[in-house]
Amino acid sequence: VQLQASGGGSVQAGDSLRLSCAASEPTFSRYVAGWFRQAPGLEREFVAAIDGTGDSTVYADSVKGRFTISRDNAKNTVYLQMNSLKPEDAAVYYCGRSRTYYIDNYYSIRPREYRVWGQGTQVTVSS
């Protein structure tokens, strides 16, 4: 499977963006999908994850209440709606497909659990 992330851009603080992650195969819908981000000089950081049904999600504390992860399995696509963006949200955002079907609050937030990654999309937030 291949993942294609899109939707990044340059915005002002307080603005919104919606990222998309489109998969090349419908089997993507069975697995947990996650969004991570990486700022220059820092490690890849967990943002949000969602299970295959869309019923179970987990978020990093830093984005709770501002970001929403969702998926449309008919389109093999996972979304990340980002509202009230802050300068500290600026990073390259990556989507990934986990090796598991179910959200686990320990494993689903760790990059090593994700076997497939998209190419990343840049988000820039100016104050």
Side-chain angles (χ1 to χ4, degrees):
V1 61
Q2 293 182 324
L3 304 180
Q4 180 74 36
S6 62
S10 296
V11 297
Q12 300 282 331
D15 286 349
S16 298
L17 279 175
R18 188 176 81 155
L19 306 184
S20 298
C21 176
S24 60
E25 298 177 7
T27 55
F28 177 69
S29 67
R30 302 177 190 170
Y31 295 89
V32 169
W35 286 98
F36 289 74
R37 64 190 182 188
Q38 190 165 17
L42 299 179
E43 293 186 352
R44 194 166 293 193
E45 173 190 34
F46 170 74
V47 175
I50 187 168
D51 73 347
T53 67
D55 291 338
S56 182
T57 58
V58 60
Y59 293 92
D61 288 344
S62 59
V63 306
K64 279 182 183 176
R66 299 188 298 122
F67 290 12
T68 302
I69 189 170
S70 61
R71 69 191 307 161
D72 183 342
N73 286 337
K75 297 181 179 179
N76 302 327
T77 301
V78 172
Y79 303 98
L80 184 68
Q81 177 67 42
M82 306 187 295
N83 297 331
S84 302
L85 282 160
K86 303 176 181 180
E88 52 263 43
D89 294 320
V92 177
Y93 281 70
Y94 296 91
C95 61
R97 194 211 77 182
S98 174
R99 64 182 181 89
T100 61
Y101 300 150
Y102 303 106
I103 290 288
D104 181 287
N105 288 340
Y106 179 82
Y107 291 106
S108 298
I109 68 172
R110 285 164 167 74
R112 68 172 184 263
E113 294 299 308
Y114 291 77
R115 294 293 186 260
V116 182
W117 292 97
Q119 85 288 2
T121 184
Q122 177 74 52
V123 173
T124 303
V125 185
S126 56
S127 57

